[in-house]
Amino acid sequence: MTDRVSKKVAGGELSSHAGLALLDELLAASEHIAYRLDFVRGGYDFISPRAASLFGVALAELHARGLHLLRERLTAEDGERCFGEIETLCATAPGQARSLCLEYRVRDAAGKLVCFSDSMTVLSDAAGQPLSACGIAVDVTERREQERALRDSEEKYRATMDAAQVGVFILHDYKFSYVNQKLAEMFGYRADELVDKLGPPDVVIPEQHELLIGKMQRRAAGEVSAPYELTGLRKDGSTFPLMVMGRPLAIGGRPASVGTLTDLSAQRQAEQKLKDKTRRYAALFEGAQEAILVADIDSRRVVDANVEAELLFLRPREELIGMSTAAFHPPELSVAYGEAYARHIRAGGGGPDEMKIVTADGDIVDVEISSNVIETADGHRLIQGVFRDIRQRKKSEADLRLAARVFESSQESIMITNADSIIVSVNPAFLEMTGYSAAEVIGHTPSLIGSGRHPAEFFAAMRQTLNDEGRWQGEIWNRRKSGEIYPAWLTISVYRGAAGEVLNYVGIESDISERHAAQEHIRQLAYFDPLTGLPNRRLLQDRAEQALVSAERDGKRVALLFIDLDHFKTINDSLGHSAGDQLLSEVAQRLLGCMRRMDTVARLGGDEFVVLLGEVTLEGTSEVARKILEVVARPYQIEQHQLGVTPSMGISLFPQDGGDFETLLKHADTAMYRAKESGRNSFRFFASEMNVAAQERLELENGLRQGLKRSEFVLHYQPQINVASGRIIGAEALVRWRHPQLGLVSPGKFIPVAEISGLIVPIGEWVLREACRQNRSWQLAGLPPISVAVNISSVQFRGGQLEESVHSILADSRLPSEYLELELTEGIVMGNAVETVEILRRLSAMGVKLAIDDFGTGYSSLSYLKRFPIDKLKIDQSFVRDIVSDPDDWAIATAVISLGHSLRLDVIAEGVEHAEQLEMLRLQGCDEVQGYYFSVPLPADEFAELLQQQNMKGV
């Protein structure tokens, strides 16, 4: 302000015009921008000239349209914010003047951003719309840049400190006045928990407080101490090693201390790892299974040796150290080994190479040597040699060569597969046995020679045994290249690696065709007549006993026809035995043609035949006898002779003529002689006095009662075989009476009397109890668990006590219910189907298995059959006996198997007596079989022995 202006103002002489001139002069001289803005007109009433120079426009333009220019020059963000605040202020106080301070950025004439702090007073109208604003805008650009620079500097410093990998601190009066983030994290605190609250003694273990305080006092006195170590104490109480570095410093005129803390945990761990690594190396060196020598490359002398080296070279370590490496090899090989030694050094190591060494005793030992070159920290070069004794390997290789010769020359077929069962090698015996060449089988699986006879379950069981036991042995059927199927005895062994993984399967096989043929021949001789192929007396008796048991159980009749050819001796004597044999064979075939599928024709010997008829009537038996007379009497063409022969027959009926096979046979024989006495070519029924039969039954009944008291009954067990695996999976319990005078009494004799007298109930309960007890005893002896099948009579089933009896016996014997099977005939289950369903369901609920015995011989209702909780169907032996030769029997057996499987039932066939029957049943998917082909019924101890043999063989 000029002196003239000052005087005028002071003297109060300033006119209105002069006042405006003075105001312009003041505004022009000010660094700040004073203004009065008219919002309605959109221009400034007055504004400092600096605004014109700032925006690069004339004052007149600002007066005219300054508000528009201001909006253009404001940054978009600041313009929206500032005008928004003004509008909000006016809206809250309409018709009033309100003050506020805004900070904003505008672009000057050069486009540079300039920052202003604007203090203004805004006047609004009654509607809250801004009318005018007056204020002073101060340029704060430089101040804000300085503040920003300061903040940036502080942030960089703080970032540097926070990024530091060591703890940084400043102390005032032994308290932390600053700590970086690393230091706070190091001790587990937040920075605000340390600053001005804790000092160094609070973060080290108490035992080191005195040492630390002394260090801090000396540092406060100006001493610059060397770095030293302490044990840090974290907030959670854990400790760690740390290094402290600090120096005195004056900050703001106050004495202070600045320093760093370094967590030595990682360093200590690294040091420990190095120590551990060194110890491990030493342990590996000394504990290695191979001999190790370390030699100086320049001098080629040993500098270290482990324990295995002492044992291999038979020299103590002290003697080995200092020895020349050349001294360990035979002299004649020293040159060659020296070249190998040099080659290893040039390559930085080598091997494995096979070499020979000389021990202290002068023995030559084969070894395998591997080496590597080691460079020490001081640049010294060593070579470490690992010597592996390969004497055993050499021996194994020789053994392998021997095994290869055995493999090639073995008379048994040998096949080797990999872990995936792909054939990798076969021996000449295999090629000779199968007819294939090596090229035709290698790369294929063993299924190439599969016969197709074994179901998938057979091979699944084989694989399971191999996995569990590592070995499988058993009989198998294979197929040659020619298509011929042959039986073989096969042993498969699993060879595994060190980790237990499967490497190979080795199968050794012997062709047992001749043995099979011999066994079948023996079986034929044991049970069949060699001339006619008919069952012999032994097999006839077994079938008769089974038929008698079944007939008694079902209340049916059985007939035994004893046939003798009239005047056969004359033909034999006149034409010779060859003609007689031909005639007997022809008669046998004609007799078979007269029979039903369920009947049996047997030859006892000479010209004697016996026919067993099941489930017959008196009239039916007579009809069969007449048919036999007619058929047998037809002429025979034997060689050049036409011969005639007639039969004489005696017939006995069960039960009236006898209750067992021998009695019936004897009575039929007696009746046959009466037929001969009556003129031959006829038949007679056996007849006896009724009182004799009654007396015999009475004596038998009394004997049965005494037999129960004296425990004269025993059980025999006939194995039941799983067709797929060939293993015994069950047994049928068959009662026998060991009479003190009569010996072993057939059930066909005493069962009918027991049924009539009611003794069948206690006998049946004894059978059930004994069978369960024996089965549990086998299990406790470690034998494989199997099911035991017990026949239930109709009297026993309808007696009302069966369920209670079964429950009690299972509880007493502790036999799991799934190992008991009850066999019931079709007649029993169909007698009262509604009641039977309920009884069977309750038995099934106990877990007991249920089977229908002699299925197909009765009249089952399929609608009821599907409702019964049955587990198994048993094909009657009458349908099994001739399935090989009789298409009708084969069709019925096939239908029963199909029916059973469609109802999700297992199917078992009884009466299997030779291999052809078994094979045909297997092809139709029959699940189980039993019969003389496998075993006769055995006493308990013999059956246990059979089961044990199977378990030991793994069959």
Side-chain angles (χ1 to χ4, degrees):
M1 186 182 298
T2 63
D3 291 341
R4 181 177 60 80
V5 172
S6 298
K7 287 178 181 180
K8 287 182 179 181
V9 171
E13 299 176 358
L14 188 63
S15 65
S16 174
H17 180 74
L20 290 173
L22 179 59
L23 179 58
D24 289 341
E25 188 175 344
L26 288 172
L27 292 175
S30 174
E31 288 295 321
H32 307 313
I33 299 175
Y35 63 88
R36 184 177 185 279
L37 174 63
D38 187 337
F39 281 98
V40 177
R41 185 173 59 80
Y44 288 96
D45 293 335
F46 62 86
I47 188 168
S48 300
R50 187 174 183 281
S53 61
L54 175 69
F55 291 126
V57 298
L59 276 175
E61 189 173 355
L62 290 174
H63 289 159
R65 51 189 295 273
L67 180 59
H68 178 73
L69 288 172
L70 178 62
R71 287 183 183 273
E72 287 181 346
R73 298 301 179 92
L74 278 169
T75 65
E77 177 185 352
D78 290 351
E80 182 178 355
R81 174 176 53 80
C82 291
F83 284 109
E85 289 186 24
I86 292 172
E87 291 171 357
T88 300
L89 181 65
C90 292
T92 56
Q96 300 181 34
R98 286 287 186 267
S99 298
L100 77 161
C101 183
L102 297 173
E103 187 165 312
Y104 50 81
R105 293 162 297 163
V106 296
R107 294 193 179 276
D108 62 10
K112 179 180 178 183
L113 284 177
V114 181
C115 185
F116 284 94
S117 177
D118 192 343
S119 299
M120 67 176 70
T121 299
V122 180
L123 178 64
S124 63
D125 62 15
Q129 295 298 317
L131 295 175
S132 64
C134 60
I136 298 176
V138 179
D139 186 347
V140 294
T141 303
E142 185 176 350
R143 188 196 320 168
R144 294 293 182 260
E145 289 179 352
Q146 290 174 350
E147 291 174 352
R148 186 179 301 109
L150 179 60
R151 284 197 304 273
D152 291 346
S153 177
E154 289 177 348
E155 288 175 359
K156 289 178 182 177
Y157 171 76
R158 189 177 305 278
T160 300
M161 292 300 101
D162 287 343
Q165 296 304 304
V166 296
V168 180
F169 66 86
I170 298 175
L171 297 179
H172 282 101
D173 299 327
Y174 303 114
K175 296 286 186 182
F176 292 114
S177 59
Y178 168 78
V179 296
N180 70 344
Q181 185 64 27
K182 182 66 176 180
L183 187 142
E185 293 173 355
M186 192 180 296
F187 291 98
Y189 289 94
R190 299 192 310 274
D192 62 347
E193 292 179 311
L194 293 171
V195 174
D196 297 330
K197 295 175 183 176
L198 300 180
D202 297 310
V203 293
V204 298
I205 59 176
E207 296 85 347
Q208 295 179 344
H209 283 181
E210 184 177 348
L211 170 65
L212 175 60
I213 292 172
K215 293 279 189 182
M216 293 171 65
Q217 289 173 343
R218 287 192 294 275
R219 188 162 61 242
E223 177 182 316
V224 178
S225 63
Y228 57 94
E229 293 186 16
L230 294 174
T231 300
L233 178 65
R234 297 189 179 95
K235 183 179 180 179
D236 62 6
S238 59
T239 60
F240 64 99
L242 58 85
M243 177 178 287
V244 183
M245 297 179 64
R247 58 188 295 273
L249 187 69
I251 300 177
R254 294 174 58 197
S257 178
V258 65
T260 61
L261 298 179
T262 304
D263 186 343
L264 299 179
S265 299
Q267 180 180 332
R268 292 289 182 268
Q269 290 174 0
E271 292 171 352
Q272 186 61 43
K273 286 181 180 178
L274 181 59
K275 291 178 182 177
D276 293 344
K277 185 175 181 180
T278 302
R279 284 195 295 268
R280 282 198 301 271
Y281 173 77
L284 289 172
F285 184 76
E286 291 299 335
Q289 299 299 305
E290 286 85 23
I292 302 176
L293 294 179
V294 180
D296 181 82
I297 287 180
D298 297 330
S299 66
R300 297 197 176 185
R301 293 191 176 276
V302 176
V303 298
D304 201 358
N306 69 348
V307 174
E308 288 297 322
E310 296 181 82
L311 297 175
L312 178 63
F313 291 97
L314 302 179
R315 300 177 189 273
R317 186 194 304 258
E318 294 75 14
E319 183 179 339
L320 288 170
I321 293 176
M323 287 184 65
S324 170
T325 56
F328 298 123
H329 303 292
E332 65 273 16
L333 299 174
S334 59
V335 175
Y337 287 177
E339 293 175 355
Y341 182 84
R343 186 174 64 254
H344 281 213
I345 293 173
R346 288 193 301 270
D353 293 337
E354 288 191 13
M355 295 184 178
K356 297 183 183 296
I357 62 166
V358 182
T359 68
D361 292 346
D363 294 333
I364 305 297
V365 177
D366 290 305
V367 296
E368 189 177 75
I369 300 178
S370 300
S371 68
N372 61 294
V373 174
I374 305 169
E375 187 168 340
T376 63
D378 59 1
H380 201 61
R381 298 176 73 220
L382 306 173
I383 185 168
Q384 176 178 274
V386 178
F387 296 73
R388 184 174 297 106
D389 188 341
I390 59 173
R391 283 176 289 186
Q392 185 59 44
R393 192 183 79 188
K394 290 282 188 180
K395 181 179 180 302
S396 298
E397 290 172 352
D399 292 343
L400 283 175
R401 288 191 293 271
L402 177 60
R405 289 196 294 272
V406 172
F407 178 79
E408 291 297 323
S409 59
S410 174
Q411 296 303 303
E412 293 185 309
S413 164
I414 302 176
M415 173 199 294
I416 302 175
T417 74
N418 61 17
D420 297 322
S421 297
I422 302 300
I423 300 173
V424 297
S425 183
V426 292
N427 71 341
F430 174 92
L431 305 178
E432 182 178 353
M433 184 181 296
T434 64
Y436 285 98
S437 67
E440 289 174 313
V441 296
I442 292 176
H444 294 273
T445 64
S447 62
L448 178 69
I449 61 171
S451 66
R453 282 195 173 192
H454 302 288
E457 292 81 4
F458 174 84
F459 295 103
M462 176 192 291
R463 285 191 293 272
Q464 187 64 48
T465 302
L466 286 172
N467 291 336
D468 294 344
E469 303 174 14
R471 188 171 184 269
W472 181 90
Q473 188 175 57
E475 186 175 304
I476 192 170
W477 288 82
N478 285 331
R479 187 185 302 274
R480 308 186 207 277
K481 184 179 179 181
S482 63
E484 176 191 355
I485 293 176
Y486 66 97
W489 186 258
L490 174 63
T491 300
I492 304 176
S493 300
V494 182
Y495 287 83
R496 300 181 183 274
E501 76 282 10
V502 175
L503 300 178
N504 298 99
Y505 296 97
V506 177
I508 302 176
E509 181 179 274
S510 300
D511 188 335
I512 58 173
S513 300
E514 293 183 1
R515 188 173 77 188
H516 252 242
Q519 290 174 344
E520 186 60 29
H521 181 63
I522 292 172
R523 192 180 309 279
Q524 287 290 328
L525 291 177
Y527 296 109
F528 294 90
D529 174 46
L531 174 62
T532 63
L534 296 176
N536 60 13
R537 181 189 179 99
R538 183 177 182 185
L539 184 54
L540 171 66
Q541 181 173 354
D542 180 69
R543 290 184 180 180
E545 289 175 350
Q546 294 182 41
L548 296 179
V549 171
S550 177
E552 179 58 32
R553 186 174 58 204
D554 299 334
K556 304 290 180 63
R557 279 181 173 177
V558 173
L560 207 64
L561 284 66
F562 198 114
I563 304 170
D564 184 88
L565 300 182
D566 301 327
H567 306 298
F568 175 76
K569 187 175 184 299
T570 303
I571 297 173
N572 226 12
D573 292 342
S574 60
L575 299 179
H577 289 285
S578 175
D581 288 347
Q582 292 182 53
L583 178 61
L584 290 173
S585 297
E586 286 285 340
V587 170
Q589 292 303 310
R590 293 188 184 186
L591 289 174
L592 286 173
C594 297
M595 299 301 112
R596 299 170 300 176
R597 291 183 295 271
M598 61 186 296
D599 301 328
T600 296
V601 178
R603 179 179 179 235
L604 300 186
D607 60 347
E608 295 179 338
F609 296 86
V610 175
V611 174
L612 174 66
L613 303 177
E615 301 181 14
V616 295
T617 63
L618 186 62
E619 295 77 9
T621 304
S622 299
E623 180 63 30
V624 172
R626 283 191 288 269
K627 185 176 182 180
I628 291 174
L629 289 175
E630 188 271 327
V631 170
V632 173
R634 293 172 185 169
Y636 296 85
Q637 186 67 39
I638 305 297
E639 297 176 351
Q640 288 79 33
H641 307 283
Q642 189 176 56
L643 304 177
V645 66
T646 57
S648 293
M649 280 180 287
I651 304 171
S652 60
L653 297 174
F654 171 87
Q656 61 262 41
D657 295 336
D660 63 85
F661 170 74
E662 293 296 342
T663 300
L664 291 171
L665 186 64
K666 181 179 69 174
H667 289 169
D669 186 30
T670 300
M672 183 270 297
Y673 277 104
R674 289 183 183 178
K676 282 187 178 290
E677 292 171 357
S678 301
R680 295 184 171 85
N681 193 23
S682 63
F683 64 89
R684 292 289 183 272
F685 284 93
F686 176 79
S688 63
E689 299 298 328
M690 296 298 295
N691 60 340
V692 175
Q695 182 63 33
E696 287 180 352
R697 281 196 299 272
L698 180 61
E699 290 176 357
L700 195 60
E701 180 178 335
N702 291 333
L704 286 173
R705 296 184 190 278
Q706 294 301 318
L708 276 171
K709 294 179 181 179
R710 294 193 294 255
S711 302
E712 295 174 357
F713 293 97
V714 296
L715 291 183
H716 286 189
Y717 300 87
Q718 186 169 41
Q720 295 178 330
I721 311 298
N722 180 276
V723 176
S725 66
R727 296 181 64 86
I728 298 172
I729 47 80
E732 183 177 5
L734 301 170
V735 65
R736 300 289 188 265
W737 182 14
R738 197 178 299 280
H739 193 280
Q741 285 80 39
L742 303 177
L744 199 62
V745 181
S746 166
K749 184 174 182 179
F750 67 83
I751 290 296
V753 177
E755 291 270 11
I756 295 171
S757 64
L759 291 174
I760 192 65
V761 174
I763 292 175
E765 183 170 352
W766 177 87
V767 170
L768 185 60
R769 185 175 298 277
E770 175 60 15
C772 290
R773 183 204 64 77
Q774 183 61 67
N775 197 9
R776 181 58 178 165
S777 176
W778 287 333
Q779 292 182 7
L780 293 176
L783 294 176
I786 63 171
S787 294
V788 61
V790 178
N791 289 287
I792 302 298
S793 73
S794 59
V795 177
Q796 196 175 0
F797 185 83
R798 301 297 178 194
Q801 303 297 319
L802 180 60
E803 299 161 60
E804 180 180 348
S805 177
V806 169
H807 186 275
S808 173
I809 290 171
L810 287 174
D812 293 343
S813 66
R814 297 187 178 182
L815 177 70
S817 58
E818 64 264 28
Y819 296 119
L820 173 62
E821 178 177 299
L822 302 181
E823 290 190 2
L824 306 101
T825 64
E826 288 181 88
I828 292 176
V829 297
M830 296 306 299
N832 186 340
V834 176
E835 179 185 354
T836 299
V837 168
E838 296 305 317
I839 296 174
L840 295 182
R841 283 177 178 170
R842 290 193 290 272
L843 288 170
S844 180
M846 296 182 193
V848 174
K849 296 178 182 177
L850 301 171
I852 295 182
D853 193 12
D854 300 337
F855 184 77
T857 60
Y859 303 94
S860 292
S861 168
L862 296 183
S863 63
Y864 272 104
L865 181 62
K866 67 181 182 180
R867 294 171 54 192
F868 293 148
I870 299 299
D871 303 291
K872 186 183 295 183
L873 297 181
K874 194 167 191 179
I875 304 176
D876 186 72
Q877 62 176 334
S878 64
F879 301 119
V880 176
R881 184 176 306 130
D882 297 318
I883 60 172
V884 176
S885 59
D886 192 324
D888 293 335
D889 278 349
W890 172 237
I892 291 175
T894 301
V896 172
I897 294 170
S898 177
L899 173 63
H901 287 172
S902 66
L903 294 175
R904 296 181 294 278
L905 304 179
D906 290 335
V907 179
I908 180 171
E910 63 179 348
V912 177
E913 296 168 355
H914 49 81
E916 288 80 3
Q917 293 171 332
L918 173 62
E919 178 60 16
M920 295 183 75
L921 290 168
R922 185 194 68 76
L923 289 174
Q924 287 304 314
C926 187
D927 305 295
E928 300 165 17
V929 291
Q930 71 180 85
Y932 272 41
Y933 180 79
F934 303 96
S935 173
V936 298
L938 299 171
D941 54 345
E942 294 182 24
F943 183 89
E945 183 179 356
L946 180 65
L947 198 59
Q948 180 64 38
Q949 290 174 358
Q950 170 185 271
N951 194 37
M952 293 175 62
K953 292 179 180 179
V955 176

